[in-house]
Amino acid sequence: MNLNPRWLLLLLSISAEVWSVPIDRNGGKQEAVHIEEENQEENVDTGLYYDRYLREVIEVLETDPHFREKLQTANTEDIKNGRLSKELDLVGHHVRTRLDELKRQEVSRLRMLLKAKLDSTNTQSLQMDHASLLKQFEHLDPHNQNTFEAKDLELLISTATKDLENYDAERHEEFKRYEMLKEHERREYLKSLDQEKREKEEKRMQELKEKHRQHPKVNVPGSVAQLREVWEETDGLDPQEFNPKTFFKLHVYNLTAVMDTLEKVYDPKNEEDDMMEMEEERLRMREHVMKNVDINKDRLVSLEEFLKSTERKEFNNVKEWETLDDTKPVYTEAELQRFEAELRDKEEELKRRADTLRQEQELLKERGKALEAQRREYQQAVLEMSQRQKDQQAAEGQPPTGPNGELQFHQDAQKLEDQEAKAPAEQEADGQNNLPAEPPQNLPLHT
């Protein structure tokens, strides 16, 4: 049975298969054909943070003939209370090996998420206790992180069932906050305009709202008029030959086709159409159908339940479906005021944090300036000390030294050394020049 996993028990909705009787467009019926639903569900997301892990586990289990047979014959209670998980011990070795690998990958993914969370909060943990941390995730057994056991399947099914049951309520709450934020921003925007511009903008907004209201009629989902519409426009069949049983088998009661009529109301190209409202409208329609069709409230739609729903007087309801434009706002004025007060508190908190950050930034700048001034003073002190040392050495007749105590020789000192080196040679030359000259040969000798 091809059912949307967001509002059905996912394990059954993905793995179940049906015998569908396709309708020949030329008027004749084809033979019964065995249809696999795996490809049809491939692109549907449950919205669960462990959606991929859940799907991969189911796909692996479906490859085992024994487990697949047990799954087809099991009822909802058998799945919810964990009886089906005991069949895990009888599946093939290759299935268990693949399940073990999937669990190790999921544990590794969760460890990475936890580490990223700890790093983002600047929490230092030298010895991380993964077992205790993984207890935050209810869809697996944290005490056994290497193998996939019956306990893991039981936890996965029970957690998915619980989370999916709460999913619609959470979506409604998110949409309410979205609508309140949109109204808050609208009012704040109008306040920022002068009187003339505000009146013009209010008129434009009202015109857009009225334009959105002028959409084609939408039949009540699940009613005979709505099913006939799908039968004729989507399936291209003769409306005079409409048959609820054939319709169910043809679509496997796929609510995607049942709610395609919303395209008449919402167009992403139109400014007046809000796609978030379209998704809320889908959710409302889905809940309406399930309320009237799911008799035993097991979140599954069987052929018997569907046929019984066609016997209700609501099935022949010819009224038009009341869209969000026709119903009361999803919030009250008091709720909006509380929401705006919450926004103001958050804005004040953000302002306080921003002020604190600015003060810390200014403090860092001042510290930087002080450190720069100290650095310059230190450099100046080093230069002055070096100069005093040079002056002292010059006064004592010692050769000057550098900043590290090394000797420094200047050009005058070099000249002095050169002169000292030349002095002995010059003295020897002068001595030779001062010797008496030889007397003349012809001078008379004195006695």
Side-chain angles (χ1 to χ4, degrees), residues 120 344-362:
S120 65
R344 287 192 296 269
D345 292 341
K346 290 182 178 179
E347 289 177 358
E348 292 297 327
E349 178 63 23
L350 290 175
K351 288 181 180 179
R352 286 193 293 270
R353 291 183 180 181
D355 292 338
T356 302
L357 289 175
R358 280 193 295 268
Q359 293 174 2
E360 292 178 353
Q361 185 180 19
E362 293 296 328

Side-chain angles (χ1 to χ4, degrees), residues 41 53 87 102 124 171 176 247 251 294 386:
E41 296 290 348
Y53 174 66
E87 302 294 333
L102 288 176
Q124 301 297 328
R171 285 285 304 274
K176 178 191 290 188
F247 180 91
H251 289 278
D294 184 19
S386 177

Side-chain angles (χ1 to χ4, degrees), residues 379-392:
Q379 289 179 343
Q380 184 65 28
V382 171
L383 291 175
E384 292 177 356
M385 183 174 63
S386 177
Q387 185 62 40
R388 285 196 300 269
Q389 186 178 6
K390 290 178 182 180
D391 295 343
Q392 183 180 1

Side-chain angles (χ1 to χ4, degrees), residues 277-386:
E277 293 182 0
M278 179 178 179
E279 293 306 315
E280 176 69 9
E281 203 76 72
R282 287 186 191 277
L283 182 57
R284 292 178 62 242
M285 285 185 167
R286 189 166 64 232
E287 291 175 337
H288 176 84
V289 172
M290 292 301 295
K291 179 180 179 181
N292 291 280
V293 179
D294 184 19
I295 299 176
N296 60 4
K297 306 304 177 183
D298 63 352
R299 300 177 69 83
L300 298 171
V301 178
S302 65
L303 175 60
E304 181 182 2
E305 287 177 324
F306 177 73
L307 294 179
K308 285 185 177 180
S309 70
T310 62
E311 300 173 359
R312 298 163 55 95
K313 63 179 183 179
E314 290 83 358
F315 182 70
N316 296 314
N317 188 354
V318 296
K319 292 183 179 180
E320 183 178 353
W321 172 254
E322 292 186 355
T323 61
L324 290 170
D325 297 322
D326 303 322
T327 59
K328 296 180 179 179
V330 295
Y331 57 87
T332 64
E333 186 64 27
E335 289 176 323
L336 178 59
Q337 292 178 3
R338 288 194 296 269
F339 177 76
E340 290 180 328
E342 180 183 339
L343 288 180
R344 287 192 296 269
D345 292 341
K346 290 182 178 179
E347 289 177 358
E348 292 297 327
E349 178 63 23
L350 290 175
K351 288 181 180 179
R352 286 193 293 270
R353 291 183 180 181
D355 292 338
T356 302
L357 289 175
R358 280 193 295 268
Q359 293 174 2
E360 292 178 353
Q361 185 180 19
E362 293 296 328
L363 181 60
L364 289 175
K365 287 182 179 180
E366 294 298 326
R367 289 180 179 177
K369 292 179 180 179
L371 290 174
E372 178 64 19
Q374 290 178 1
R375 185 183 66 84
R376 292 178 180 177
E377 290 178 0
Y378 173 76
Q379 289 179 343
Q380 184 65 28
V382 171
L383 291 175
E384 292 177 356
M385 183 174 63
S386 177

Side-chain angles (χ1 to χ4, degrees), residues 132-326:
S132 61
L133 290 175
L134 288 174
K135 289 181 180 179
Q136 303 176 41
F137 303 94
E138 299 178 346
H139 63 287
L140 50 76
D141 181 9
H143 302 294
N144 175 18
Q145 303 177 19
N146 297 314
T147 59
F148 190 97
E149 305 296 339
K151 181 66 173 178
D152 290 286
L153 183 57
E154 181 181 349
L155 289 173
L156 183 61
I157 295 173
S158 60
T159 304
T161 303
K162 180 187 66 175
D163 291 344
L164 290 171
E165 288 175 349
N166 298 330
Y167 183 80
D168 289 349
E170 294 174 357
R171 285 285 304 274
H172 284 309
E173 185 62 28
E174 289 178 4
F175 178 74
K176 178 191 290 188
R177 294 182 67 85
Y178 168 78
E179 287 289 289
M180 289 191 293
L181 179 60
K182 188 168 66 173
E183 175 62 18
H184 169 73
E185 292 178 346
R186 187 189 73 85
R187 295 183 181 185
E188 292 299 314
Y189 170 66
L190 292 176
K191 288 179 182 178
S192 65
L193 304 177
D194 57 39
Q195 181 68 22
E196 182 179 356
K197 290 182 179 180
R198 181 164 55 251
E199 292 177 355
K200 185 181 297 185
E201 188 64 16
E202 286 178 342
K203 181 179 179 181
R204 187 187 71 86
M205 290 180 177
Q206 187 62 32
E207 289 175 352
L208 289 176
K209 185 179 295 186
E210 292 299 326
K211 182 180 178 181
H212 176 69
R213 290 177 181 273
Q214 296 172 3
H215 54 72
K217 176 184 177 182
V218 178
N219 294 312
V220 175
S223 65
V224 63
Q226 199 269 339
L227 298 186
R228 284 180 179 274
E229 181 182 0
V230 176
W231 176 278
E232 181 178 0
E233 297 182 5
T234 303
D235 302 331
L237 301 176
D238 187 351
Q240 302 300 324
E241 297 181 0
F242 174 75
N243 181 275
K245 185 176 182 180
T246 304
F247 180 91
F248 181 88
K249 292 184 176 181
L250 177 62
H251 289 278
V252 202
Y253 206 56
N254 184 356
L255 289 185
T256 302
V258 172
M259 292 181 293
D260 277 345
T261 53
L262 283 176
E263 295 179 357
K264 298 178 179 180
V265 184
Y266 297 92
D267 187 345
K269 298 179 181 179
N270 295 336
E271 180 184 0
E272 67 274 10
D273 296 341
D274 189 334
M275 294 301 104
M276 288 290 292
E277 293 182 0
M278 179 178 179
E279 293 306 315
E280 176 69 9
E281 203 76 72
R282 287 186 191 277
L283 182 57
R284 292 178 62 242
M285 285 185 167
R286 189 166 64 232
E287 291 175 337
H288 176 84
V289 172
M290 292 301 295
K291 179 180 179 181
N292 291 280
V293 179
D294 184 19
I295 299 176
N296 60 4
K297 306 304 177 183
D298 63 352
R299 300 177 69 83
L300 298 171
V301 178
S302 65
L303 175 60
E304 181 182 2
E305 287 177 324
F306 177 73
L307 294 179
K308 285 185 177 180
S309 70
T310 62
E311 300 173 359
R312 298 163 55 95
K313 63 179 183 179
E314 290 83 358
F315 182 70
N316 296 314
N317 188 354
V318 296
K319 292 183 179 180
E320 183 178 353
W321 172 254
E322 292 186 355
T323 61
L324 290 170
D325 297 322
D326 303 322

Side-chain angles (χ1 to χ4, degrees), residues 423-436:
E426 292 178 351
Q427 291 176 0
E428 182 179 357
D430 293 342
Q432 293 177 357
N433 294 332
N434 295 330
L435 291 176

